[in-house]
Amino acid sequence: MTTATHPSASLSRRRRLAAPLLTPLLALAALGGCVAPVGPVEVTRFSLPDGPALGQGVIRIEAGPGQDESSLEFRAYAAAVGQELARIGYRQPLPGEQVANAQVAVVTIERRTLKPASQRGPVSVGVGGNAGNYGSGVGLGIGIDLSGKPADQVDTRMQVMIRDRTGGRTLWEGRASFTVSAKSPMAQTSLGSAKMAEALFKGFPGKSGETILVK
């Protein structure tokens, strides 16, 4: 004797089988939705044409004027700069090591929060009328901007000057600026510092006086 299967029972079984397959896909979709777009970093570099060789030897990292070198924020940027300096060929001095011809990387960081002005206008009211052989009518339309308040922007500027310790000359200078939404993960110091340092030293030393956008 053949037992008939109710359609609802069959549908329920298919849903139970599909659930384990859908779970990883949904997780990937959720992760993909969390990745915020990353804006470009504007970079400008200057270098001394007749200066000592760059990208080799010992270099010290120092805080620029007005910088709190003990703050977690500055230390994060200094560490990111140090990592890039090591990548291009420098090394930092060992504790207690004295090097006569060492160079100095002076790091200056400026961060500020920008509050964009709201683009919303007042409530707009439109009145439309029509008249014809079969009567007349009046239509009233109300337009309201529901987009909400624009998100704050975090503007970060970093300057690194590589100087000759003995003569005090600036051998190379790089400036980077980066503006992202305050809600973006890149607004966090740990992520933003690495992004800016990588952009600043990309193609080091770069063409003097040229401004580039690094994505």
Side-chain angles (χ1 to χ4, degrees):
M1 181 177 62
T2 303
T3 303
T5 303
H6 196 276
S8 60
S10 178
L11 178 61
S12 177
R13 182 173 179 273
R14 287 197 299 270
R15 288 175 176 174
R16 288 197 304 270
L17 292 175
L21 300 176
L22 288 175
T23 300
L25 296 177
L26 292 175
L28 289 175
L31 288 175
C34 293
V35 178
V38 177
V41 180
E42 184 176 285
V43 173
T44 306
R45 279 87 65 95
F46 304 92
S47 55
L48 195 64
D50 59 345
L54 295 168
Q56 61 183 4
V58 179
I59 192 167
R60 297 179 183 273
I61 297 178
E62 296 182 357
Q67 301 294 297
D68 182 6
E69 60 182 355
S70 64
S71 69
L72 293 177
E73 180 178 80
F74 178 82
R75 288 164 60 185
Y77 279 91
V81 169
Q83 183 174 353
E84 289 300 314
L85 290 173
R87 182 185 61 80
I88 61 178
Y90 282 107
R91 73 171 181 89
Q92 296 189 48
L94 300 174
E97 181 182 7
Q98 299 295 327
V99 182
N101 59 347
Q103 296 177 2
V104 182
V106 182
V107 181
T108 303
I109 304 298
E110 178 186 356
R111 281 168 61 86
R112 56 180 179 169
T113 301
L114 307 177
K115 296 185 177 295
S118 175
Q119 300 298 321
R120 292 183 298 170
V123 176
S124 61
V125 179
V127 178
N130 62 77
N133 295 332
Y134 300 98
S136 63
V138 176
L140 179 64
I142 301 178
I144 302 177
D145 187 351
L146 301 177
S147 58
K149 181 181 178 181
D152 292 347
Q153 301 287 309
V154 176
D155 178 67
T156 306
R157 299 175 185 272
M158 179 168 66
Q159 179 189 53
V160 178
M161 292 186 293
I162 297 179
R163 292 176 174 172
D164 183 1
R165 177 177 286 278
T166 56
R169 294 183 302 169
T170 299
L171 309 175
W172 181 89
E173 178 180 346
R175 304 171 187 171
S177 60
F178 184 52
T179 303
V180 294
S181 169
K183 298 179 180 180
S184 169
M186 296 305 298
Q188 301 176 15
T189 299
S190 58
L191 297 178
S193 58
K195 170 74 174 179
M196 293 195 74
E198 179 184 3
L200 186 61
F201 289 96
K202 184 175 183 179
F204 180 85
K207 186 176 180 180
S208 185
E210 182 181 53
T211 298
I212 63 174
L213 293 178
V214 181
K215 296 183 179 180

